[in-house]
Amino acid sequence: MTPTPAPSVAPAADASSDRFAIQCEVLRLSIRPIGPVLLVQYLLNCGVAALFAWQYSLARALVWIALITGVTVMRGFFPQRLPDPFTPESLRHAQRMHTLRTAVWELAHGLAGVLLFNPERPDQQLLLGLMLMGMTLSSAFSVSFYTPATQLAITLLLAPVIVTGLTLGAPTMMAVSVIGIGLTAMMWKLVAERSRQLEENIGLRLNERTLREQALAGLRASEQAQAERLRFFSAANHDLRQPVMAIGLQAEVLRQQLDTGADASAVQHTVVSLARAQQALEGLTNQLLEIGRIEAAVDPLRPVAVALAPLLQDLARQAGNGRVTVRCPAGAVAWTDAVSLRRVLANLVDNAVKFTPRGRVLLAVRARHRGTERAWRVEVRDSGIGIAADSQERVFNDFEQIGNAERNLQHGHGLGLAIVRRLAAQLGIEVSLRSAPGRGSVFGFELPAAQGYGAAALQQARPPQPSLEAAPALRPGLAVLVVEDNAVVADSLYALLRQWEVSPRVYASAAEALALADLRALDAALCDIRLPGALDGIALAERLQAQNPALTIALISADINEATQRLATERGWHALRKPVQPEELRGVLLRARQRP
């Protein structure tokens, strides 16, 4: 009698059927066999247990590795069996069982945060926290594709070390625990986004006949997003390790200076170096969190009338030294989100000041007319190093710095303009760039005109620092070559080696070291792998060994992979991953002392 509801019921039924099929496929992908990966994970866990058994407690390490062995046997030899075919009830039961198995698996790993936590050793606490955070980053992309299971797994993996760190940890570990809370929230967001993308791709594949082109486009977009995310995390990992390493080394220098009663000027220099490294770590952490908030759309846009002159004058005062000047009509009022606009301008001003060693930075505003509508053209002009035409698109990418090839932490991390790009996309504005090498740069964009004024303030926070333990003395005068292009890390290595009464020779590139150092008089060499110029650290190490076969050589990098480790073993070198712990460094130099 009522044929009209049929067309509306059919699409709803189709949508429900598609959703059911997608959930079934997600669960199948989540329990697929991962034998080789499982074996590698177990061997890595054995290595971690051996390390903490040696450094801390054999009994606790054995208890933990016994738990890991149990869950590994469960996952490897007793995989979950899925019903065939699925029904709605059997699917829900299978999802609950998969979530329970995943929770048991990750809780066993997470209990390392309690069993291997050494309340007496801040350095071991920090190592344990960083290792569990690394496990979290890998788990988010390997343990499951089912969102509730993955989010629960991440929580169970990090919660024990966070709670233990906040209750029993040193100040450094407490700061790491707070970062762990933020990492947990960020990973929840990333997992939900990844799962959403995966479900979209599955849906496209299930409707391949009618949506073939859309499915291919979605797959390409997903692969590109995944590759970009992996590149982002790889670059973030590299830049995070630099200040962490500097903090560890300078903390060791400070501890030994206090033990030996060093003069106030030496202690003050170490404290200043610690503060610089801490500020670099804080700045990078804040930028990473800001990017996470932007991409998660945590802060919704609230357009208001914003008076531009007071905003620009406030930014100029914050820049200090009178280097930033403002030229803006008193009546310039734009309609936009005040908080996002301030963040865009603050990053542009900061970028201009950093790369303008001499001269001034100008914040300029002028009126524009678009038909009957008025707009304001906002520009940040500097007289700095400038940017070549073929690099102007790249500067808005993550971790890209055209004028900072040596990755000097004082010049930032290459995220300021990446944040500007993301914020501009949210605001619906296009940031243009005019520049030429040696002639400065002009970044500009347009805002719709309005009447009225809105303002916003930004806040920042600062975390505290770590301390380490003593080690055996080295032979005074041991000649150590240090080739490190990062100024903060090089300074920290030099300070620590001088504190150990060895004789460091520090150079910023392979070419400089080969040209200036007396290679036959060296006892040991510490070579950063990523070096500016034609020769990297591996090529430098080969030349050093050819000229001085008895030389003890250590490769240092945040990107030590299996191939690099294998090469170092074959050549008789050492491979140290940043942040390098002072004990590792001392161990290399002690072996150098034993050579004839």
Side-chain angles (χ1 to χ4, degrees):
M1 294 178 61
T2 54
T4 50
S8 59
V9 172
D14 290 343
S16 176
S17 176
D18 289 346
R19 178 66 182 164
F20 176 78
I22 289 172
Q23 289 180 339
C24 294
E25 184 64 16
V26 167
L27 191 58
R28 288 192 188 96
L29 289 173
S30 297
I31 66 166
R32 70 195 189 285
I34 53 169
V37 174
L38 204 60
L39 176 61
V40 172
Q41 287 179 336
Y42 182 74
L43 293 176
L44 290 174
N45 290 327
C46 290
V48 172
L51 174 64
F52 281 90
W54 172 49
Q55 291 283 339
Y56 177 38
S57 168
L58 175 61
R60 287 172 171 263
L62 288 175
V63 171
W64 182 68
I65 200 62
L67 290 173
I68 298 302
T69 302
V71 295
T72 301
V73 169
M74 174 196 75
R75 193 170 182 185
F77 297 93
F78 302 95
Q80 182 180 358
R81 299 187 182 279
L82 296 180
D84 188 19
F86 274 108
T87 65
E89 183 57 34
S90 65
L91 173 63
R92 285 191 294 271
H93 179 268
Q95 288 174 334
R96 287 194 296 268
M97 182 59 64
H98 172 66
T99 302
L100 176 62
R101 290 168 61 91
T102 304
V104 171
W105 166 264
E106 291 298 343
L107 179 60
H109 287 81
L111 286 176
V114 177
L115 294 172
L116 304 183
F117 191 92
N118 187 350
E120 306 298 328
R121 291 288 300 274
D123 55 333
Q124 291 183 12
Q125 297 171 17
L126 183 61
L127 176 62
L128 181 61
L130 292 175
M131 283 181 4
L132 287 174
M133 288 185 185
M135 287 183 185
T136 303
L137 291 173
S138 63
S139 294
F141 299 99
S142 65
V143 71
S144 175
F145 293 99
Y146 182 49
T147 302
T150 308
Q151 291 178 336
L152 178 61
I154 291 169
T155 305
L156 292 176
L157 182 57
L158 276 181
V161 75
I162 290 174
V163 174
T164 309
L166 290 174
T167 54
L168 301 176
T172 306
M173 189 59 202
M174 292 182 182
V176 171
S177 298
V178 173
I179 294 174
I181 294 173
L183 177 64
T184 303
M186 183 179 71
M187 294 308 297
W188 269 53
K189 292 282 187 182
L190 288 176
V191 164
E193 176 62 17
R194 184 204 60 168
S195 298
R196 185 187 64 79
Q197 291 179 354
L198 176 64
E199 290 179 3
E200 287 180 357
N201 288 339
I202 292 173
L204 291 174
R205 193 174 72 239
L206 293 174
N207 295 283
E208 187 175 0
R209 287 184 183 177
T210 56
L211 301 173
R212 185 180 299 272
E213 291 301 321
Q214 292 90 329
L216 291 175
L219 182 60
R220 285 194 296 268
S222 177
E223 290 175 348
Q224 183 179 356
Q226 181 73 0
E228 182 63 24
R229 188 176 292 117
L230 291 174
R231 192 192 75 83
F232 178 87
F233 278 117
S234 175
N237 169 64
H238 179 270
D239 275 19
L240 275 169
R241 288 177 183 271
Q242 302 277 30
V244 168
M245 177 179 173
I247 287 172
L249 296 176
Q250 290 287 1
E252 175 69 8
V253 173
L254 180 60
R255 190 193 67 76
Q256 294 193 19
Q257 286 176 337
L258 294 176
D259 288 346
T260 58
D263 60 77
S265 62
V267 173
Q268 182 63 28
H269 179 268
T270 304
V271 171
V272 170
S273 298
L274 261 174
R276 277 172 32 212
Q278 180 267 335
Q279 288 167 3
L281 180 59
E282 177 190 12
L284 177 56
T285 303
N286 288 339
Q287 287 182 320
L288 290 173
L289 290 175
E290 184 172 5
I291 286 177
R293 292 181 67 86
I294 294 170
E295 294 192 340
V298 173
D299 304 314
L301 296 180
R302 296 183 177 88
V304 293
V306 182
L308 297 179
L311 173 60
L312 297 180
Q313 289 164 1
D314 187 42
L315 290 172
R317 278 193 301 271
Q318 289 182 6
N321 300 326
R323 295 186 58 197
V324 181
T325 58
V326 176
R327 191 172 68 204
C328 176
V333 180
W335 183 259
T336 186
D337 180 79
V339 173
S340 296
L341 175 61
R342 185 184 186 93
R343 287 154 73 184
V344 167
L345 288 169
N347 278 291
L348 289 176
V349 171
D350 182 63
N351 182 76
V353 170
K354 283 176 182 173
F355 294 98
T356 306
R358 292 177 296 277
R360 292 181 178 273
V361 174
L362 174 65
L363 303 181
V365 177
R366 65 178 186 272
R368 283 287 182 89
H369 294 277
R370 294 184 293 193
T372 58
E373 298 181 356
R374 283 190 72 193
W376 297 104
R377 174 75 180 175
V378 183
E379 292 184 342
V380 180
R381 305 176 185 175
D382 66 66
S383 56
I385 60 175
I387 305 168
D390 58 353
S391 301
Q392 291 182 11
E393 287 189 14
R394 275 199 300 126
V395 296
F396 291 96
N397 293 338
D398 300 325
F399 296 99
E400 285 284 357
Q401 288 183 299
I402 302 304
N404 189 18
E406 71 279 10
R407 304 298 293 173
N408 188 337
L409 298 182
Q410 304 306 309
H411 288 168
H413 304 275
L415 287 175
L417 294 180
I419 291 173
V420 168
R421 170 174 58 84
R422 288 172 167 86
L423 288 171
Q426 281 191 345
L427 291 171
I429 61 177
E430 182 178 354
V431 179
S432 63
L433 169 59
R434 301 195 314 273
S435 184
R439 302 185 64 181
S441 303
V442 179
F443 291 87
F445 54 88
E446 292 186 10
L447 297 170
Q451 297 296 326
Y453 172 68
L458 300 174
Q459 298 180 357
Q460 294 179 335
R462 299 179 182 273
Q465 299 94 338
S467 68
L468 294 159
E469 208 172 290
L474 296 166
R475 174 168 60 82
L478 193 74
V480 180
L481 174 70
V482 178
V483 187
E484 170 60 66
D485 62 321
N486 185 281
V488 175
V489 176
D491 182 62
S492 301
L493 282 169
Y494 179 85
L496 181 61
L497 293 174
R498 291 294 298 167
Q499 190 66 27
W500 287 344
E501 298 183 352
V502 302
S503 179
R505 281 86 159 159
V506 181
Y507 301 97
S509 68
E512 186 179 339
L514 292 171
L516 301 179
D518 183 1
L519 303 182
R520 296 189 179 276
L522 297 173
D523 298 308
L526 310 176
C527 305
D528 185 25
I529 292 181
R530 289 191 178 186
L531 293 173
L535 296 177
D536 62 7
I538 295 175
L540 172 62
E542 291 173 344
R543 295 200 180 190
L544 292 175
Q545 191 173 54
Q547 298 193 41
N548 186 349
L551 184 67
T552 295
I553 297 173
L555 301 175
I556 300 178
S557 177
D559 301 324
I560 297 290
N561 54 29
E562 188 175 337
T564 306
Q565 187 72 55
R566 187 167 56 249
L567 174 66
T569 303
E570 291 171 355
R571 302 291 176 85
W573 304 339
H574 304 273
L576 305 180
R577 183 187 296 276
K578 291 182 179 180
V580 176
Q581 298 300 314
E583 292 87 350
E584 293 178 293
L585 198 56
R586 185 184 290 271
V588 172
L589 299 184
L590 284 171
R591 290 172 190 167
R593 180 182 65 177
Q594 295 166 0
R595 289 179 177 272

